[in-house]
PDB file of all heavy atoms in Angstrom:
ATOM      1  N   ALA A   1     152.236 131.056 -36.997  1.00  0.00           N
ATOM      2  CA  ALA A   1     151.559 130.074 -36.149  1.00  0.00           C
ATOM      3  C   ALA A   1     152.254 129.873 -34.810  1.00  0.00           C
ATOM      4  O   ALA A   1     151.609 129.549 -33.810  1.00  0.00           O
ATOM      5  CB  ALA A   1     151.470 128.745 -36.888  1.00  0.00           C
ATOM      6  N   ASN A   2     153.571 130.076 -34.779  1.00  0.00           N
ATOM      7  CA  ASN A   2     154.305 129.891 -33.528  1.00  0.00           C
ATOM      8  C   ASN A   2     154.425 131.187 -32.722  1.00  0.00           C
ATOM      9  O   ASN A   2     155.188 131.265 -31.756  1.00  0.00           O
ATOM     10  CB  ASN A   2     155.693 129.324 -33.798  1.00  0.00           C
ATOM     11  CG  ASN A   2     156.550 130.269 -34.640  1.00  0.00           C
ATOM     12  OD1 ASN A   2     156.067 131.294 -35.139  1.00  0.00           O
ATOM     13  ND2 ASN A   2     157.810 129.909 -34.814  1.00  0.00           N
ATOM     14  N   GLY A   3     153.669 132.208 -33.125  1.00  0.00           N
ATOM     15  CA  GLY A   3     153.674 133.473 -32.405  1.00  0.00           C
ATOM     16  C   GLY A   3     154.711 134.470 -32.867  1.00  0.00           C
ATOM     17  O   GLY A   3     154.764 135.601 -32.348  1.00  0.00           O
ATOM     18  N   THR A   4     155.537 134.096 -33.829  1.00  0.00           N
ATOM     19  CA  THR A   4     156.558 135.011 -34.328  1.00  0.00           C
ATOM     20  C   THR A   4     155.914 136.265 -34.919  1.00  0.00           C
ATOM     21  O   THR A   4     154.995 136.173 -35.735  1.00  0.00           O
ATOM     22  CB  THR A   4     157.420 134.323 -35.413  1.00  0.00           C
ATOM     23  OG1 THR A   4     158.134 133.245 -34.825  1.00  0.00           O
ATOM     24  CG2 THR A   4     158.405 135.300 -36.034  1.00  0.00           C
ATOM     25  N   ASP A   5     156.396 137.430 -34.517  1.00  0.00           N
ATOM     26  CA  ASP A   5     155.953 138.695 -35.099  1.00  0.00           C
ATOM     27  C   ASP A   5     156.691 138.873 -36.424  1.00  0.00           C
ATOM     28  O   ASP A   5     157.896 139.158 -36.441  1.00  0.00           O
ATOM     29  CB  ASP A   5     156.279 139.842 -34.140  1.00  0.00           C
ATOM     30  CG  ASP A   5     155.720 141.175 -34.624  1.00  0.00           C
ATOM     31  OD1 ASP A   5     155.497 141.326 -35.841  1.00  0.00           O
ATOM     32  OD2 ASP A   5     155.531 142.088 -33.781  1.00  0.00           O
ATOM     33  N   CYS A   6     155.975 138.693 -37.515  1.00  0.00           N
ATOM     34  CA  CYS A   6     156.616 138.703 -38.831  1.00  0.00           C
ATOM     35  C   CYS A   6     157.092 140.080 -39.252  1.00  0.00           C
ATOM     36  O   CYS A   6     157.778 140.225 -40.270  1.00  0.00           O
ATOM     37  CB  CYS A   6     155.664 138.129 -39.878  1.00  0.00           C
ATOM     38  SG  CYS A   6     155.331 136.373 -39.646  1.00  0.00           S
ATOM     39  N   ARG A   7     156.757 141.096 -38.474  1.00  0.00           N
ATOM     40  CA  ARG A   7     157.244 142.442 -38.770  1.00  0.00           C
ATOM     41  C   ARG A   7     158.649 142.658 -38.239  1.00  0.00           C
ATOM     42  O   ARG A   7     159.307 143.642 -38.596  1.00  0.00           O
ATOM     43  CB  ARG A   7     156.319 143.490 -38.149  1.00  0.00           C
ATOM     44  CG  ARG A   7     154.852 143.392 -38.548  1.00  0.00           C
ATOM     45  CD  ARG A   7     153.998 144.311 -37.686  1.00  0.00           C
ATOM     46  NE  ARG A   7     154.154 143.996 -36.253  1.00  0.00           N
ATOM     47  CZ  ARG A   7     153.631 144.722 -35.270  1.00  0.00           C
ATOM     48  NH1 ARG A   7     152.922 145.806 -35.552  1.00  0.00           N
ATOM     49  NH2 ARG A   7     153.808 144.371 -34.009  1.00  0.00           N
ATOM     50  N   ASN A   8     159.117 141.729 -37.420  1.00  0.00           N
ATOM     51  CA  ASN A   8     160.351 141.957 -36.674  1.00  0.00           C
ATOM     52  C   ASN A   8     161.463 141.028 -37.144  1.00  0.00           C
ATOM     53  O   ASN A   8     161.296 140.247 -38.087  1.00  0.00           O
ATOM     54  CB  ASN A   8     160.083 141.766 -35.175  1.00  0.00           C
ATOM     55  CG  ASN A   8     160.874 142.731 -34.318  1.00  0.00           C
ATOM     56  OD1 ASN A   8     161.979 143.118 -34.667  1.00  0.00           O
ATOM     57  ND2 ASN A   8     160.291 143.121 -33.189  1.00  0.00           N
ATOM     58  N   TYR A   9     162.602 141.112 -36.469  1.00  0.00           N
ATOM     59  CA  TYR A   9     163.734 140.255 -36.786  1.00  0.00           C
ATOM     60  C   TYR A   9     163.432 138.801 -36.420  1.00  0.00           C
ATOM     61  O   TYR A   9     162.441 138.486 -35.769  1.00  0.00           O
ATOM     62  CB  TYR A   9     164.969 140.693 -35.985  1.00  0.00           C
ATOM     63  CG  TYR A   9     165.526 142.047 -36.344  1.00  0.00           C
ATOM     64  CD1 TYR A   9     165.817 142.976 -35.342  1.00  0.00           C
ATOM     65  CD2 TYR A   9     165.778 142.396 -37.663  1.00  0.00           C
ATOM     66  CE1 TYR A   9     166.350 144.219 -35.652  1.00  0.00           C
ATOM     67  CE2 TYR A   9     166.311 143.634 -37.989  1.00  0.00           C
ATOM     68  CZ  TYR A   9     166.595 144.548 -36.981  1.00  0.00           C
ATOM     69  OH  TYR A   9     167.122 145.765 -37.290  1.00  0.00           O
ATOM     70  N   GLY A  10     164.373 137.913 -36.836  1.00  0.00           N
ATOM     71  CA  GLY A  10     164.300 136.520 -36.410  1.00  0.00           C
ATOM     72  C   GLY A  10     163.732 135.594 -37.465  1.00  0.00           C
ATOM     73  O   GLY A  10     163.425 135.991 -38.590  1.00  0.00           O
ATOM     74  N   GLY A  11     163.581 134.327 -37.071  1.00  0.00           N
ATOM     75  CA  GLY A  11     163.027 133.324 -37.976  1.00  0.00           C
ATOM     76  C   GLY A  11     163.903 133.075 -39.175  1.00  0.00           C
ATOM     77  O   GLY A  11     163.453 133.169 -40.317  1.00  0.00           O
ATOM     78  N   LEU A  12     165.166 132.745 -38.941  1.00  0.00           N
ATOM     79  CA  LEU A  12     166.156 132.688 -40.023  1.00  0.00           C
ATOM     80  C   LEU A  12     165.793 131.725 -41.150  1.00  0.00           C
ATOM     81  O   LEU A  12     166.083 131.997 -42.311  1.00  0.00           O
ATOM     82  CB  LEU A  12     167.525 132.294 -39.452  1.00  0.00           C
ATOM     83  CG  LEU A  12     168.191 133.284 -38.496  1.00  0.00           C
ATOM     84  CD1 LEU A  12     169.571 132.774 -38.105  1.00  0.00           C
ATOM     85  CD2 LEU A  12     168.288 134.655 -39.130  1.00  0.00           C
ATOM     86  N   ASP A  13     165.180 130.588 -40.803  1.00  0.00           N
ATOM     87  CA  ASP A  13     164.990 129.563 -41.837  1.00  0.00           C
ATOM     88  C   ASP A  13     163.540 129.410 -42.279  1.00  0.00           C
ATOM     89  O   ASP A  13     163.197 128.447 -42.957  1.00  0.00           O
ATOM     90  CB  ASP A  13     165.531 128.217 -41.370  1.00  0.00           C
ATOM     91  CG  ASP A  13     164.778 127.643 -40.188  1.00  0.00           C
ATOM     92  OD1 ASP A  13     164.003 128.384 -39.546  1.00  0.00           O
ATOM     93  OD2 ASP A  13     164.953 126.444 -39.908  1.00  0.00           O
ATOM     94  N   GLY A  14     162.676 130.377 -41.936  1.00  0.00           N
ATOM     95  CA  GLY A  14     161.304 130.340 -42.424  1.00  0.00           C
ATOM     96  C   GLY A  14     160.279 130.165 -41.328  1.00  0.00           C
ATOM     97  O   GLY A  14     160.550 129.521 -40.306  1.00  0.00           O
ATOM     98  N   ILE A  15     159.088 130.714 -41.543  1.00  0.00           N
ATOM     99  CA  ILE A  15     158.011 130.541 -40.566  1.00  0.00           C
ATOM    100  C   ILE A  15     157.419 129.136 -40.707  1.00  0.00           C
ATOM    101  O   ILE A  15     157.493 128.524 -41.785  1.00  0.00           O
ATOM    102  CB  ILE A  15     156.924 131.627 -40.721  1.00  0.00           C
ATOM    103  CG1 ILE A  15     156.230 131.522 -42.078  1.00  0.00           C
ATOM    104  CG2 ILE A  15     157.525 133.020 -40.526  1.00  0.00           C
ATOM    105  CD1 ILE A  15     155.044 132.474 -42.223  1.00  0.00           C
ATOM    106  N   PRO A  16     156.836 128.592 -39.649  1.00  0.00           N
ATOM    107  CA  PRO A  16     156.389 127.185 -39.681  1.00  0.00           C
ATOM    108  C   PRO A  16     155.414 126.865 -40.803  1.00  0.00           C
ATOM    109  O   PRO A  16     155.497 125.789 -41.419  1.00  0.00           O
ATOM    110  CB  PRO A  16     155.724 127.010 -38.303  1.00  0.00           C
ATOM    111  CG  PRO A  16     156.335 128.055 -37.435  1.00  0.00           C
ATOM    112  CD  PRO A  16     156.628 129.220 -38.322  1.00  0.00           C
ATOM    113  N   GLU A  17     154.464 127.773 -41.071  1.00  0.00           N
ATOM    114  CA  GLU A  17     153.455 127.487 -42.091  1.00  0.00           C
ATOM    115  C   GLU A  17     154.075 127.235 -43.462  1.00  0.00           C
ATOM    116  O   GLU A  17     153.683 126.314 -44.183  1.00  0.00           O
ATOM    117  CB  GLU A  17     152.454 128.648 -42.208  1.00  0.00           C
ATOM    118  CG  GLU A  17     151.664 128.954 -40.952  1.00  0.00           C
ATOM    119  CD  GLU A  17     152.293 130.051 -40.122  1.00  0.00           C
ATOM    120  OE1 GLU A  17     153.532 130.026 -39.935  1.00  0.00           O
ATOM    121  OE2 GLU A  17     151.547 130.939 -39.669  1.00  0.00           O
ATOM    122  N   VAL A  18     155.048 128.057 -43.817  1.00  0.00           N
ATOM    123  CA  VAL A  18     155.664 127.948 -45.138  1.00  0.00           C
ATOM    124  C   VAL A  18     156.610 126.747 -45.191  1.00  0.00           C
ATOM    125  O   VAL A  18     156.688 126.049 -46.207  1.00  0.00           O
ATOM    126  CB  VAL A  18     156.389 129.261 -45.499  1.00  0.00           C
ATOM    127  CG1 VAL A  18     157.267 129.074 -46.729  1.00  0.00           C
ATOM    128  CG2 VAL A  18     155.370 130.363 -45.762  1.00  0.00           C
ATOM    129  N   LYS A  19     157.337 126.522 -44.115  1.00  0.00           N
ATOM    130  CA  LYS A  19     158.203 125.340 -44.079  1.00  0.00           C
ATOM    131  C   LYS A  19     157.380 124.069 -44.283  1.00  0.00           C
ATOM    132  O   LYS A  19     157.800 123.148 -44.988  1.00  0.00           O
ATOM    133  CB  LYS A  19     158.958 125.282 -42.748  1.00  0.00           C
ATOM    134  CG  LYS A  19     160.071 126.306 -42.623  1.00  0.00           C
ATOM    135  CD  LYS A  19     160.624 126.393 -41.203  1.00  0.00           C
ATOM    136  CE  LYS A  19     161.325 125.132 -40.792  1.00  0.00           C
ATOM    137  NZ  LYS A  19     162.622 124.978 -41.487  1.00  0.00           N
ATOM    138  N   LYS A  20     156.192 124.032 -43.677  1.00  0.00           N
ATOM    139  CA  LYS A  20     155.334 122.849 -43.833  1.00  0.00           C
ATOM    140  C   LYS A  20     154.829 122.716 -45.267  1.00  0.00           C
ATOM    141  O   LYS A  20     154.755 121.596 -45.803  1.00  0.00           O
ATOM    142  CB  LYS A  20     154.162 122.915 -42.854  1.00  0.00           C
ATOM    143  CG  LYS A  20     153.199 121.726 -43.009  1.00  0.00           C
ATOM    144  CD  LYS A  20     152.178 121.665 -41.909  1.00  0.00           C
ATOM    145  CE  LYS A  20     151.116 120.593 -42.178  1.00  0.00           C
ATOM    146  NZ  LYS A  20     151.676 119.287 -42.552  1.00  0.00           N
ATOM    147  N   ILE A  21     154.465 123.838 -45.895  1.00  0.00           N
ATOM    148  CA  ILE A  21     153.995 123.770 -47.282  1.00  0.00           C
ATOM    149  C   ILE A  21     155.082 123.178 -48.174  1.00  0.00           C
ATOM    150  O   ILE A  21     154.831 122.243 -48.950  1.00  0.00           O
ATOM    151  CB  ILE A  21     153.575 125.168 -47.779  1.00  0.00           C
ATOM    152  CG1 ILE A  21     152.267 125.603 -47.115  1.00  0.00           C
ATOM    153  CG2 ILE A  21     153.404 125.161 -49.308  1.00  0.00           C
ATOM    154  CD1 ILE A  21     151.848 127.025 -47.447  1.00  0.00           C
ATOM    155  N   PHE A  22     156.295 123.695 -48.062  1.00  0.00           N
ATOM    156  CA  PHE A  22     157.386 123.160 -48.879  1.00  0.00           C
ATOM    157  C   PHE A  22     157.670 121.700 -48.517  1.00  0.00           C
ATOM    158  O   PHE A  22     157.879 120.860 -49.408  1.00  0.00           O
ATOM    159  CB  PHE A  22     158.652 124.002 -48.701  1.00  0.00           C
ATOM    160  CG  PHE A  22     158.749 125.182 -49.614  1.00  0.00           C
ATOM    161  CD1 PHE A  22     158.862 126.465 -49.102  1.00  0.00           C
ATOM    162  CD2 PHE A  22     158.755 125.024 -50.991  1.00  0.00           C
ATOM    163  CE1 PHE A  22     158.965 127.567 -49.947  1.00  0.00           C
ATOM    164  CE2 PHE A  22     158.862 126.118 -51.849  1.00  0.00           C
ATOM    165  CZ  PHE A  22     158.970 127.393 -51.329  1.00  0.00           C
ATOM    166  N   ALA A  23     157.693 121.400 -47.224  1.00  0.00           N
ATOM    167  CA  ALA A  23     157.987 120.034 -46.803  1.00  0.00           C
ATOM    168  C   ALA A  23     156.956 119.055 -47.358  1.00  0.00           C
ATOM    169  O   ALA A  23     157.312 117.965 -47.830  1.00  0.00           O
ATOM    170  CB  ALA A  23     158.024 119.958 -45.275  1.00  0.00           C
ATOM    171  N   ASP A  24     155.684 119.419 -47.315  1.00  0.00           N
ATOM    172  CA  ASP A  24     154.637 118.532 -47.836  1.00  0.00           C
ATOM    173  C   ASP A  24     154.752 118.370 -49.346  1.00  0.00           C
ATOM    174  O   ASP A  24     154.552 117.270 -49.878  1.00  0.00           O
ATOM    175  CB  ASP A  24     153.260 119.077 -47.472  1.00  0.00           C
ATOM    176  CG  ASP A  24     152.949 118.949 -45.988  1.00  0.00           C
ATOM    177  OD1 ASP A  24     153.687 118.237 -45.284  1.00  0.00           O
ATOM    178  OD2 ASP A  24     151.969 119.574 -45.525  1.00  0.00           O
ATOM    179  N   LEU A  25     155.061 119.463 -50.052  1.00  0.00           N
ATOM    180  CA  LEU A  25     155.205 119.374 -51.504  1.00  0.00           C
ATOM    181  C   LEU A  25     156.370 118.482 -51.905  1.00  0.00           C
ATOM    182  O   LEU A  25     156.319 117.775 -52.918  1.00  0.00           O
ATOM    183  CB  LEU A  25     155.401 120.772 -52.098  1.00  0.00           C
ATOM    184  CG  LEU A  25     154.178 121.685 -52.112  1.00  0.00           C
ATOM    185  CD1 LEU A  25     154.587 123.111 -52.465  1.00  0.00           C
ATOM    186  CD2 LEU A  25     153.126 121.174 -53.099  1.00  0.00           C
ATOM    187  N   LEU A  26     157.437 118.497 -51.104  1.00  0.00           N
ATOM    188  CA  LEU A  26     158.650 117.745 -51.421  1.00  0.00           C
ATOM    189  C   LEU A  26     158.710 116.402 -50.695  1.00  0.00           C
ATOM    190  O   LEU A  26     159.690 115.660 -50.849  1.00  0.00           O
ATOM    191  CB  LEU A  26     159.883 118.575 -51.061  1.00  0.00           C
ATOM    192  CG  LEU A  26     160.033 119.900 -51.813  1.00  0.00           C
ATOM    193  CD1 LEU A  26     161.198 120.700 -51.243  1.00  0.00           C
ATOM    194  CD2 LEU A  26     160.226 119.663 -53.308  1.00  0.00           C
ATOM    195  N   ASP A  27     157.666 116.087 -49.906  1.00  0.00           N
ATOM    196  CA  ASP A  27     157.605 114.840 -49.139  1.00  0.00           C
ATOM    197  C   ASP A  27     158.790 114.733 -48.187  1.00  0.00           C
ATOM    198  O   ASP A  27     159.495 113.717 -48.140  1.00  0.00           O
ATOM    199  CB  ASP A  27     157.555 113.629 -50.077  1.00  0.00           C
ATOM    200  CG  ASP A  27     157.139 112.356 -49.356  1.00  0.00           C
ATOM    201  OD1 ASP A  27     156.518 112.455 -48.277  1.00  0.00           O
ATOM    202  OD2 ASP A  27     157.456 111.263 -49.854  1.00  0.00           O
ATOM    203  N   LEU A  28     159.005 115.803 -47.417  1.00  0.00           N
ATOM    204  CA  LEU A  28     160.096 115.869 -46.458  1.00  0.00           C
ATOM    205  C   LEU A  28     159.545 116.326 -45.111  1.00  0.00           C
ATOM    206  O   LEU A  28     158.355 116.617 -44.979  1.00  0.00           O
ATOM    207  CB  LEU A  28     161.172 116.853 -46.942  1.00  0.00           C
ATOM    208  CG  LEU A  28     161.876 116.520 -48.262  1.00  0.00           C
ATOM    209  CD1 LEU A  28     162.739 117.687 -48.714  1.00  0.00           C
ATOM    210  CD2 LEU A  28     162.715 115.248 -48.112  1.00  0.00           C
ATOM    211  N   SER A  29     160.408 116.415 -44.115  1.00  0.00           N
ATOM    212  CA  SER A  29     160.025 116.990 -42.834  1.00  0.00           C
ATOM    213  C   SER A  29     160.439 118.456 -42.810  1.00  0.00           C
ATOM    214  O   SER A  29     161.341 118.877 -43.545  1.00  0.00           O
ATOM    215  CB  SER A  29     160.702 116.239 -41.681  1.00  0.00           C
ATOM    216  OG  SER A  29     162.113 116.353 -41.780  1.00  0.00           O
ATOM    217  N   ALA A  30     159.806 119.233 -41.967  1.00  0.00           N
ATOM    218  CA  ALA A  30     160.047 120.672 -41.930  1.00  0.00           C
ATOM    219  C   ALA A  30     161.484 121.004 -41.549  1.00  0.00           C
ATOM    220  O   ALA A  30     162.031 122.028 -41.991  1.00  0.00           O
ATOM    221  CB  ALA A  30     159.078 121.344 -40.958  1.00  0.00           C
ATOM    222  N   ASP A  31     162.128 120.159 -40.733  1.00  0.00           N
ATOM    223  CA  ASP A  31     163.505 120.455 -40.345  1.00  0.00           C
ATOM    224  C   ASP A  31     164.515 120.078 -41.417  1.00  0.00           C
ATOM    225  O   ASP A  31     165.723 120.218 -41.213  1.00  0.00           O
ATOM    226  CB  ASP A  31     163.861 119.797 -39.007  1.00  0.00           C
ATOM    227  CG  ASP A  31     163.557 118.314 -38.973  1.00  0.00           C
ATOM    228  OD1 ASP A  31     163.078 117.768 -39.979  1.00  0.00           O
ATOM    229  OD2 ASP A  31     163.800 117.696 -37.916  1.00  0.00           O
ATOM    230  N   GLU A  32     164.016 119.620 -42.559  1.00  0.00           N
ATOM    231  CA  GLU A  32     164.884 119.393 -43.722  1.00  0.00           C
ATOM    232  C   GLU A  32     164.736 120.512 -44.755  1.00  0.00           C
ATOM    233  O   GLU A  32     165.246 120.406 -45.868  1.00  0.00           O
ATOM    234  CB  GLU A  32     164.539 118.049 -44.384  1.00  0.00           C
ATOM    235  CG  GLU A  32     164.849 116.847 -43.515  1.00  0.00           C
ATOM    236  CD  GLU A  32     164.308 115.551 -44.077  1.00  0.00           C
ATOM    237  OE1 GLU A  32     163.091 115.486 -44.369  1.00  0.00           O
ATOM    238  OE2 GLU A  32     165.092 114.603 -44.231  1.00  0.00           O
ATOM    239  N   VAL A  33     164.064 121.589 -44.376  1.00  0.00           N
ATOM    240  CA  VAL A  33     163.744 122.680 -45.296  1.00  0.00           C
ATOM    241  C   VAL A  33     164.217 124.008 -44.717  1.00  0.00           C
ATOM    242  O   VAL A  33     163.991 124.298 -43.543  1.00  0.00           O
ATOM    243  CB  VAL A  33     162.219 122.742 -45.564  1.00  0.00           C
ATOM    244  CG1 VAL A  33     161.856 124.012 -46.318  1.00  0.00           C
ATOM    245  CG2 VAL A  33     161.761 121.507 -46.329  1.00  0.00           C
ATOM    246  N   ILE A  34     164.852 124.807 -45.565  1.00  0.00           N
ATOM    247  CA  ILE A  34     165.221 126.180 -45.218  1.00  0.00           C
ATOM    248  C   ILE A  34     164.609 127.101 -46.265  1.00  0.00           C
ATOM    249  O   ILE A  34     164.855 126.937 -47.465  1.00  0.00           O
ATOM    250  CB  ILE A  34     166.750 126.359 -45.181  1.00  0.00           C
ATOM    251  CG1 ILE A  34     167.328 125.561 -44.006  1.00  0.00           C
ATOM    252  CG2 ILE A  34     167.133 127.831 -45.065  1.00  0.00           C
ATOM    253  CD1 ILE A  34     168.834 125.541 -43.951  1.00  0.00           C
ATOM    254  N   VAL A  35     163.785 128.054 -45.814  1.00  0.00           N
ATOM    255  CA  VAL A  35     163.075 128.933 -46.740  1.00  0.00           C
ATOM    256  C   VAL A  35     163.938 130.140 -47.076  1.00  0.00           C
ATOM    257  O   VAL A  35     164.580 130.730 -46.192  1.00  0.00           O
ATOM    258  CB  VAL A  35     161.734 129.388 -46.131  1.00  0.00           C
ATOM    259  CG1 VAL A  35     160.987 130.300 -47.103  1.00  0.00           C
ATOM    260  CG2 VAL A  35     160.877 128.173 -45.778  1.00  0.00           C
ATOM    261  N   GLY A  36     163.954 130.502 -48.354  1.00  0.00           N
ATOM    262  CA  GLY A  36     164.726 131.645 -48.804  1.00  0.00           C
ATOM    263  C   GLY A  36     163.846 132.748 -49.360  1.00  0.00           C
ATOM    264  O   GLY A  36     162.631 132.734 -49.204  1.00  0.00           O
ATOM    265  N   GLY A  37     164.478 133.701 -50.028  1.00  0.00           N
ATOM    266  CA  GLY A  37     163.762 134.834 -50.612  1.00  0.00           C
ATOM    267  C   GLY A  37     163.120 134.470 -51.930  1.00  0.00           C
ATOM    268  O   GLY A  37     162.672 133.341 -52.134  1.00  0.00           O
ATOM    269  N   ASN A  38     163.103 135.410 -52.870  1.00  0.00           N
ATOM    270  CA  ASN A  38     162.330 135.182 -54.092  1.00  0.00           C
ATOM    271  C   ASN A  38     163.111 134.453 -55.177  1.00  0.00           C
ATOM    272  O   ASN A  38     162.565 134.156 -56.229  1.00  0.00           O
ATOM    273  CB  ASN A  38     161.835 136.523 -54.655  1.00  0.00           C
ATOM    274  CG  ASN A  38     162.941 137.304 -55.336  1.00  0.00           C
ATOM    275  OD1 ASN A  38     163.943 137.620 -54.704  1.00  0.00           O
ATOM    276  ND2 ASN A  38     162.766 137.613 -56.606  1.00  0.00           N
ATOM    277  N   SER A  39     164.397 134.129 -54.951  1.00  0.00           N
ATOM    278  CA  SER A  39     165.204 133.540 -56.009  1.00  0.00           C
ATOM    279  C   SER A  39     165.936 132.295 -55.523  1.00  0.00           C
ATOM    280  O   SER A  39     166.832 132.383 -54.681  1.00  0.00           O
ATOM    281  CB  SER A  39     166.231 134.565 -56.520  1.00  0.00           C
ATOM    282  OG  SER A  39     167.151 133.949 -57.403  1.00  0.00           O
ATOM    283  N   SER A  40     165.575 131.134 -56.076  1.00  0.00           N
ATOM    284  CA  SER A  40     166.320 129.919 -55.750  1.00  0.00           C
ATOM    285  C   SER A  40     167.726 129.990 -56.334  1.00  0.00           C
ATOM    286  O   SER A  40     168.653 129.362 -55.803  1.00  0.00           O
ATOM    287  CB  SER A  40     165.581 128.676 -56.264  1.00  0.00           C
ATOM    288  OG  SER A  40     165.369 128.753 -57.659  1.00  0.00           O
ATOM    289  N   LEU A  41     167.883 130.735 -57.410  1.00  0.00           N
ATOM    290  CA  LEU A  41     169.216 130.906 -57.986  1.00  0.00           C
ATOM    291  C   LEU A  41     170.157 131.554 -56.979  1.00  0.00           C
ATOM    292  O   LEU A  41     171.347 131.215 -56.905  1.00  0.00           O
ATOM    293  CB  LEU A  41     169.129 131.749 -59.261  1.00  0.00           C
ATOM    294  CG  LEU A  41     170.371 131.750 -60.152  1.00  0.00           C
ATOM    295  CD1 LEU A  41     170.555 130.399 -60.813  1.00  0.00           C
ATOM    296  CD2 LEU A  41     170.270 132.832 -61.213  1.00  0.00           C
TER     297      LEU A  41
END
């Protein structure tokens, strides 16, 4: 959504759309969320 080319480098803590999904599910703000890979462990 912010124009980031998802094929390329960058976006260390997650793209905006996904950060918002997690933030809404957890009742937090997007800047309180860091998105990781497939394993929370």
Side-chain angles (χ1 to χ4, degrees):
N2 62 353
T4 295
D5 186 336
C6 293
R7 304 170 303 173
N8 216 328
Y9 293 131
L12 294 184
D13 65 346
I15 64 174
E17 299 95 316
V18 168
K19 287 169 66 72
K20 178 171 172 49
I21 288 175
F22 273 121
D24 289 348
L25 288 169
L26 298 173
D27 195 21
L28 298 171
S29 62
D31 52 1
E32 294 171 306
V33 170
I34 292 174
V35 180
N38 75 301
S39 171
S40 58
L41 194 70

